[in-house]
Amino acid sequence: MLEVIFTFEVEKERQEEFLNFVKTGTKPWWESHGCLGYNVWQAAGENAFMKRMEFPDMATMEKVMPTNEQDPECRALIEKFESYTINISRKPYIKMT
């Protein structure tokens, strides 16, 4: 199992709009295009968020993410997602135990 973990912040005033967009836009799109699970978490009482995208293995992630990121519909979703975020970072993590 592999998870790609994104960490970022979203301004308080935009959080409700952001979460509605994720629920209706990016989450269903990615989960129907090769991602096993797509979930966004928020640190309690903070503007800090984490997005976890699950894939069966590194090879699948390395194939699925770049291919989908070239798709115009996906590209538009990514750009809109990033328009809400501040200080975004991304790292893949491999399940070891």
Side-chain angles (χ1 to χ4, degrees), residues 3-9 49-53 65 81-82 85-93:
E3 290 192 14
V4 181
I5 308 289
F6 296 75
T7 57
F8 52 92
E9 296 174 36
F49 287 81
M50 171 179 62
K51 176 176 76 173
R52 297 170 52 175
M53 295 176 73
M65 286 191 76
F81 182 95
E82 291 176 348
T85 65
I86 302 165
N87 299 324
I88 192 167
S89 71
R90 167 176 122 170
K91 290 183 184 180
Y93 289 83

Side-chain angles (χ1 to χ4, degrees), residues 2-3 12 17 20 26 28-29 36 39 43-44 46 51 59 61 64-65 72 82 86 89:
L2 176 121
E3 290 192 14
K12 186 174 181 79
E17 180 183 348
N20 286 332
T26 55
W29 197 94
L36 299 176
N39 294 288
E46 297 183 23
K51 176 176 76 173
M61 185 274 296
V64 168
M65 286 191 76
E82 291 176 348
I86 302 165
S89 71

Side-chain angles (χ1 to χ4, degrees), residues 3-94:
E3 290 192 14
V4 181
I5 308 289
F6 296 75
T7 57
F8 52 92
E9 296 174 36
V10 177
E11 294 175 352
K12 186 174 181 79
E13 307 78 43
R14 301 190 74 201
Q15 289 176 9
E16 184 176 347
E17 180 183 348
F18 167 73
L19 292 170
N20 286 332
F21 166 69
V22 168
K23 290 174 189 175
T24 61
T26 55
K27 180 178 174 65
W29 197 94
W30 277 102
E31 288 181 345
S32 67
H33 288 82
C35 181
L36 299 176
Y38 183 108
N39 294 288
V40 171
W41 303 72
Q42 183 176 13
E46 297 183 23
N47 294 337
F49 287 81
M50 171 179 62
K51 176 176 76 173
R52 297 170 52 175
M53 295 176 73
E54 301 171 17
F55 297 92
D57 51 46
M58 183 70 82
T60 302
M61 185 274 296
E62 289 176 339
K63 178 182 176 192
V64 168
M65 286 191 76
T67 299
N68 286 337
E69 288 170 349
Q70 299 303 312
D71 179 283
E73 183 180 4
C74 182
R75 190 76 237 143
L77 289 169
I78 291 169
E79 288 173 8
K80 184 168 182 178
F81 182 95
E82 291 176 348
S83 75
Y84 289 105
T85 65
I86 302 165
N87 299 324
I88 192 167
S89 71
R90 167 176 122 170
K91 290 183 184 180
Y93 289 83
I94 301 168

